[in-house]
Amino acid sequence: MAVVIVDYDAAWPSLAEQACEELVAALPGVFLEIEHVGSTSVPGLAAKPIVDLMASVSALEAVTAQERALTGLGYRSEETGMRGRLFYFRADASGRRSHHLHVVPADTWDTRNERLLRDHLRADPRAASEYAALKRHLAGGDVDAAAYTRAKTDLIQRLVDEARQARGLPRVPVWEE
């Protein structure tokens, strides 16, 4: 499937807020923190029209034990191969993904690369512009989602390294294994 990048949509923050409220209501007391991350969380940034959310939990098992509640909201589990993380997606009426939910342990929350990258892109217009240009360039070619993601790795690593260095955090690979 081709990668589609669209201009920033001012509705994305509201969609994220609504999804967060639904998740908290469906799984009361499970999520310690839940935030809008990813490109749709950066004002003005072009993105794939998928709202990415990240939630922290005291134990991943707290979510898997209540997966039926997520299914009721339209979320489906997907194995990503990343240890220490649960991943769910929700699709719209046409079957196109509309939301991603990343669930991570609370003890990793403050140093999550996704949150650090979001904050860095929000604070640094140069970085956001560079990232948007790369995404548009890649999406304009004949590239599938996996190749698109791999092709962004070097820039994402550099931007995350900048964000981590600014906070006195050690460098870590952006792709978990």
Side-chain angles (χ1 to χ4, degrees):
M1 181 176 280
V3 174
V4 175
I5 299 294
V6 300
D7 289 336
Y8 179 78
D9 186 334
W12 287 336
S14 295
L15 293 172
E17 183 178 341
Q18 179 183 358
C20 289
E21 290 170 0
E22 292 170 350
L23 287 161
V24 168
L27 286 87
V30 172
F31 300 118
L32 303 174
E33 304 272 353
I34 186 165
E35 293 180 356
H36 187 192
V37 296
S39 294
T40 60
S41 71
V42 180
L45 186 62
K48 292 185 292 184
I50 300 172
V51 172
D52 282 292
L53 306 172
M54 181 167 274
S56 71
V57 293
S58 56
L60 296 176
E61 295 78 21
V63 177
T64 56
Q66 297 191 44
E67 220 163 64
R68 202 177 283 198
L70 288 173
T71 302
L73 294 175
Y75 288 90
R76 295 192 317 212
S77 175
E78 181 173 82
E79 178 53 49
T80 63
M82 292 185 278
R83 293 186 310 261
R85 174 193 301 244
L86 300 174
F87 179 79
Y88 300 88
F89 70 91
R90 183 165 79 181
D92 61 21
S94 71
R96 186 174 206 109
R97 289 185 180 206
S98 62
H99 294 73
H100 288 162
L101 172 62
H102 306 261
V103 182
V104 299
D107 64 348
T108 68
W109 185 250
D110 290 336
T111 59
R112 297 304 308 191
N113 286 334
E114 298 86 350
R115 296 180 68 238
L116 297 172
L117 178 60
R118 175 206 56 203
D119 293 349
H120 185 62
L121 292 172
R122 285 177 173 174
D124 186 341
R126 172 210 50 89
S129 177
E130 185 178 5
Y131 189 43
L134 176 62
K135 292 183 343 163
R136 287 195 185 279
H137 170 75
L138 294 171
D142 184 24
V143 63
D144 65 18
Y148 167 83
T149 299
R150 283 191 307 274
K152 296 186 312 176
T153 299
D154 288 345
L155 177 57
I156 290 171
Q157 184 69 62
R158 182 169 53 80
L159 296 175
V160 167
D161 288 348
E162 290 172 9
R164 294 182 73 84
Q165 181 178 16
R167 294 188 178 177
L169 297 170
R171 182 186 187 282
V172 297
V174 293
W175 300 121
E176 301 167 24
E177 298 185 21

